[in-house]
Amino acid sequence: MRKIKQSIICFIILFLGLSSLPPTTYAAGVSAHSAILIEQKSGRVLYEKNADAISRIASITKIMTAILAIESGKIDQTTTVSSRAVGVEGSSIYLIEGEKIKLKDLVYGLMMRSGNDAAVAIAEMVGGSEEGFVYLMNQKANEIGMTNTTFQNPHGLDDHENHRSTAYDMAILMRYAMNNKTFREISGTKVYRTAHPEEKWDRVWKNKNKLLTSLYAYCTGGKTGYTKLAKRTLVTTATKNGMDLIAVTINAPSDWNDHISMYEEAFDNYKMTSLAPKGELKGIEDSFYKKKLEIKRDVIYPLTKDEQETIKLKTILIKPQKEWKEGKPVPSVVGELQVTQDGESIGNIPIYFHNEQKKEEGFFTKVKNLFFVYPGAR
């Protein structure tokens, strides 16, 4: 089930990731009821504990609210704050009814100060209503493979019984969101300043994520959460020595320590290992394919020192067709590079054919088009 889920999400987020190997069980002291640690580029699960347990998630919900706001294309537009947004309970950035504020500022207030008022204001602007926005949240969750998630509000308050997710699904969401440059910038901001509509002084927001602001030098962002029923929830990201990690904990009495422990164990035991470089595929003996094949991205995977010795690469190619040799077009994808670790598949990377003949004919094709593209013209 884990590998099926990861295959789905890799395709959905528009690049071919590598599927998970059995996760390490090193972090036995993690306090969280549910926890997971994944590597960002590959999606490999490095540690998990009850990662598929369906739970209340509190304000880590706002990761979905933020990415939908950013993807709406309205990030620099202004909205008018409603009475419904101002009246929402819980954590707040103290919006004023009727004030005009940029969506971008709302997203900063949402992620840094966990403003429930900001969440509703975003929902009304992007979705037309809070209910309309919730529809978009569940639609996006379905698109990116969050199969055990149901959103019922944009902030994570306990007022809806079935507003729930899993540590694994929230890791999928954070992995998706971290591919967005604007989201990464907002998630990793320690202090943000914006004008106050009724005062001479600015609103100044300090990020609630203590890993980012003071506790862990390698933390690059994240989102905190807490309600009475969900308890402490936390999603964070960290980077060290070229390895980007995502940690999720749900119902974790010692969440800061949980995340640091998981990160440190992974950074100590895993290394981002280059398995095949982007560009021309070497070692091809077939005369038709020789020097004409490439992969379009570096194949990099987190591995322990022992695992590095068990990696094998195998090139599988379509047999060259007679008509290709006679000049007919060759398909762009002609095979795959199969990657296995200790006999278990961890990825299949497309192999592309680059047709030199097309490049040589490029100029003549352009000239030909000048005369023949409009055969009926006078």
Side-chain angles (χ1 to χ4, degrees), residues 142-241:
N142 183 62
E143 287 175 0
I144 66 175
M146 298 174 70
T147 58
N148 289 309
T149 297
T150 301
F151 291 112
Q152 293 190 311
N153 60 55
H155 38 62
L157 289 173
D158 290 328
D159 52 358
H160 291 92
E161 174 66 26
N162 294 321
H163 183 95
R164 296 175 181 248
S165 187
T166 68
Y168 178 73
D169 277 9
M170 292 308 296
I172 288 175
L173 174 58
M174 193 62 168
R175 185 183 179 207
Y176 174 84
M178 287 296 286
N179 283 301
N180 184 287
K181 180 181 178 181
T182 301
F183 180 89
R184 290 197 305 272
E185 290 176 355
I186 295 173
S187 178
T189 298
K190 296 180 180 181
V191 179
Y192 185 73
R193 182 184 298 269
T194 185
H196 193 289
E198 295 185 352
E199 304 290 346
K200 294 181 180 180
W201 41 266
D202 290 342
R203 287 170 167 149
V204 180
W205 297 322
K206 182 178 179 181
N207 204 313
K208 286 187 175 184
N209 179 3
K210 290 184 180 180
L211 286 188
L212 178 69
T213 59
S214 61
L215 295 180
Y216 194 58
Y218 303 110
C219 182
T220 57
K223 182 70 193 75
T224 61
Y226 173 81
T227 66
K228 289 181 180 180
L229 296 180
K231 307 303 181 184
R232 294 178 65 89
T233 63
L234 182 65
V235 178
T236 65
T237 56
T239 297
K240 183 180 180 183
N241 296 331

Side-chain angles (χ1 to χ4, degrees), residues 353-371:
F353 181 88
H354 52 84
N355 194 328
E356 292 179 357
Q357 184 179 9
K358 287 183 180 180
K359 294 180 182 179
E360 293 170 358
E361 292 178 350
F363 172 77
F364 297 100
T365 299
K366 290 178 182 178
V367 173
K368 179 181 176 182
N369 287 340
L370 289 175
F371 294 96

Side-chain angles (χ1 to χ4, degrees), residues 117-148:
D117 50 353
V120 174
I122 289 168
E124 292 177 336
M125 181 181 182
V126 175
S129 66
E130 189 171 346
E131 294 76 15
F133 188 77
V134 168
Y135 174 83
L136 297 178
M137 295 173 78
N138 287 303
Q139 183 180 58
K140 177 62 73 173
N142 183 62
E143 287 175 0
I144 66 175
M146 298 174 70
T147 58
N148 289 309

Side-chain angles (χ1 to χ4, degrees), residues 254-271:
S254 186
D255 50 8
W256 307 124
N257 290 331
D258 287 350
H259 284 233
I260 292 172
S261 173
M262 288 190 290
Y263 284 140
E264 286 299 290
E265 290 284 353
F267 288 138
D268 286 347
N269 288 283
Y270 290 88
K271 178 182 178 182

